Amino acid sequence: MCGSSDAEPELVRLTISPATIDRLTVATAGLRRFLARVHFAHETVPGLLPGALYQPTEAFNLALARYEKVWMPLLASFKSSPGDGAEKMRLAAPLDVQWMHHLHRLDPDAYRADCDRGFGQIVDPADPFLVAGDGLPAEDSNAETAARAAWRDAAPAWPFDLEDALRDYGQRRGFLPDNRTSSFDSSSCNMVGSATNQGGFLWQVLPEQYGDAAFVRRACERYAMLVALWRDCPGEFLVPTYDMDLVWHAHLSTPRLYAAELLGITGRAIDHDDSVNDRTPGAKLDVRGARTRELWKRKYGNGESYVRKGAMWRGDPPDWYWTCKFSHPVVFSAPGPVVESLVETLESAAWNGRAEVVRELLKAANVDVNKAFNDGSTPLWRAARNGHFEVVRELLKAANVDVNKAGPLSWAAGNGHVEVVRMLQIGRASCRERV
């Protein structure tokens, strides 16, 4: 029966071999470094704005053209020539191009269809997360040298470095360096939608636990347990936690290996759909997430909890995430990580009106309900400013809430949130009575 097993949990985890777990551990760490490099690319690439590769900007459109017209035909030419193919080489792709390749691979069915139509076969990356051309040295200088030489031979008029490519694109008034055509395109995949969805993914895997090798390896083992559920529950839409999801994305980075390994374990291809993001109660993600927890509990009992610290949804990314006003995650270490992560989630929950999340977070004794964020706002100010009546009511229940800090009443009044204003006035009176 789906979700039940007579096997011990330790044996179930080995549905993915220890060697594959080792490989995925390295790939997962590499993926997180890559995501950080993309997120902070504007710091090292003049002319690139923060988040420009997450939206259909000129930089995004240029990156997509570079990926479709230069990089993928280049990789395919290695596969069609004598030797082991590009997947046996280490080539450091331009960062924007590698980002496009990553987005495309996250939709395995679309990637397979586009590769089959363009090249007659799946084209694996030369190295899924190795990058260059963004103003920083590549992790492998030989791979950068090889990639630059291959790029120069394939497309001498197209600059390799992103800064040069952006400058050239601007000087050409949005025209590409030449009129080359390619049999390949990514039309089966919603690349813009994927970029928009993935732009906030780093926020979910930002906690410092993800910089710990033991945490990441355990995430790979938990992903193996998810694969076992896929095998046993072929008709179910399963929702991974974020540590499992990060590993899944890393696994997807090598398309042929992913397809072969999942087919060998589950007997079928497992597609990946990152467009399911609606967390409204009763929506697909909410319903299937509850079902996944039920099946997980049924299969693994008390041996391994589905819920894991640092692996659950942290709320929508706050403003300071998009403006990159935080330390690079490779060195990210907030003081008091438990307190900090809870407060960051409280910030997002208050801003987005998620009263049920606020209610649960306030049960934690170490949450500072009055903490001011980078812009000086507090959770109460954010909820009042946006007119989230239920969230304001939950925050006012906190014994030590400061009703006046950051001026939530004036902001609620200025934005016309009459019911919130009344609630805050009641809250002020209640606070005076407590004093």
Side-chain angles (χ1 to χ4, degrees):
M1 185 175 70
C2 177
S4 63
S5 175
D6 295 329
E8 292 295 324
E10 288 297 332
L11 297 177
V12 174
R13 292 179 191 128
L14 297 183
T15 50
I16 290 181
S17 71
T20 301
I21 293 292
D22 290 342
R23 188 188 83 234
L24 288 176
T25 300
V26 173
T28 301
L31 170 56
R32 186 167 176 267
R33 290 197 303 273
F34 169 68
L35 294 176
R37 194 152 169 168
V38 171
H39 196 70
F40 287 96
H42 63 281
E43 294 183 353
T44 56
V45 180
L48 184 69
L49 297 176
L53 295 176
Y54 300 155
Q55 304 290 338
T57 60
E58 286 190 354
F60 181 95
N61 295 335
L62 176 60
L64 187 59
R66 282 153 56 85
Y67 167 65
E68 293 180 342
K69 296 179 179 296
V70 179
W71 190 249
M72 285 299 284
L74 187 158
L75 293 183
S77 71
F78 279 103
K79 289 189 65 62
S80 62
S81 62
D84 291 326
E87 71 276 7
K88 298 299 182 182
M89 301 178 60
R90 279 177 67 80
L91 295 175
L95 177 134
D96 59 317
V97 171
Q98 194 73 285
W99 174 241
M100 294 296 118
H101 204 173
H102 173 64
L103 297 176
H104 202 179
R105 294 189 305 257
L106 289 178
D107 188 339
D109 286 352
Y111 186 78
R112 184 183 307 108
D114 291 336
C115 283
D116 284 345
R117 186 178 62 253
F119 307 121
Q121 59 183 325
I122 292 179
V123 175
D124 276 336
D127 189 295
F129 307 123
L130 193 59
V131 298
D134 60 341
L136 294 173
E139 294 180 1
D140 184 332
S141 60
N142 292 329
E144 178 177 357
T145 300
R148 287 182 180 278
W151 182 284
R152 185 171 55 250
D153 291 343
W158 294 62
F160 180 90
D161 293 276
L162 180 53
E163 178 186 357
D164 295 338
L166 289 171
R167 184 187 306 110
D168 178 75
Y169 193 56
Q171 291 172 348
R172 296 177 185 275
R173 300 182 183 276
F175 288 95
L176 299 174
D178 57 39
N179 295 321
R180 66 179 54 222
T181 59
S182 171
S183 60
F184 174 81
D185 62 58
S186 57
S187 58
S188 298
C189 178
N190 181 0
M191 296 288 279
V192 172
S194 182
T196 301
N197 292 331
Q198 291 304 309
F201 189 77
L202 177 63
W203 162 250
Q204 303 298 342
V205 297
L206 198 58
E208 60 184 4
Q209 294 98 314
Y210 288 89
D212 179 70
F215 180 91
V216 173
R217 183 173 182 83
R218 189 61 185 154
C220 294
E221 294 169 347
R222 283 163 54 82
Y223 171 70
M225 297 169 73
L226 178 69
V227 171
L229 273 185
W230 277 328
R231 178 197 62 197
D232 297 345
C233 307
E236 300 281 356
F237 182 94
L238 302 180
V239 179
T241 54
Y242 275 97
D243 62 332
M244 300 180 216
D245 205 21
L246 181 65
V247 180
W248 190 6
H249 290 192
H251 202 185
L252 286 162
S253 70
T254 50
R256 287 196 299 172
L257 266 177
Y258 173 79
E261 288 170 347
L262 266 293
L263 182 64
I265 297 169
T266 69
R268 69 190 194 281
I270 304 294
D271 196 22
H272 176 266
D273 183 1
D274 69 351
S275 67
V276 182
N277 294 306
D278 183 3
R279 294 183 177 274
T280 304
K284 182 177 181 179
L285 194 60
D286 177 62
V287 173
R288 301 313 304 171
R291 175 62 171 164
T292 303
R293 289 191 292 274
E294 174 190 338
L295 295 173
W296 184 281
K297 178 73 172 178
R298 187 185 301 171
K299 185 171 184 65
Y300 299 116
N302 296 322
E304 174 76 27
S305 174
Y306 174 84
V307 175
R308 188 188 190 196
K309 178 183 173 183
M312 313 312 291
W313 187 61
R314 304 177 67 210
D316 294 325
D319 294 344
W320 55 260
Y321 169 82
W322 299 112
T323 55
C324 303
K325 294 179 180 178
F326 62 98
S327 302
H328 290 224
V330 287
V331 296
F332 184 75
S333 181
V338 175
V339 179
E340 199 68 16
S341 63
L342 285 171
V343 171
E344 288 166 3
T345 306
L346 182 60
E347 172 190 10
S348 295
W351 180 264
N352 292 298
R354 295 181 57 80
E356 72 282 3
V357 175
V358 170
R359 187 180 305 117
E360 291 302 313
L361 291 172
L362 290 177
K363 294 177 182 178
N366 54 358
V367 172
D368 181 2
V369 71
N370 298 314
K371 179 171 180 177
F373 303 109
N374 293 342
D375 58 1
S377 67
T378 64
L380 184 60
W381 179 93
R382 287 178 166 248
R385 184 256 191 207
N386 289 341
H388 297 314
F389 179 83
E390 294 297 331
V391 172
V392 170
R393 182 160 60 181
E394 293 298 328
L395 291 169
L396 289 174
K397 292 177 183 177
N400 62 334
V401 64
D402 187 340
V403 183
N404 298 311
K405 188 173 182 179
L409 180 59
S410 61
W411 276 89
N415 288 333
H417 304 310
V418 177
E419 294 301 319
V420 171
V421 169
R422 290 173 181 165
M423 177 62 68
L424 288 169
Q425 288 172 335
I426 294 172
R428 274 184 168 180
S430 177
C431 287
R432 284 195 294 268
E433 289 178 4
R434 283 196 294 247
V435 173

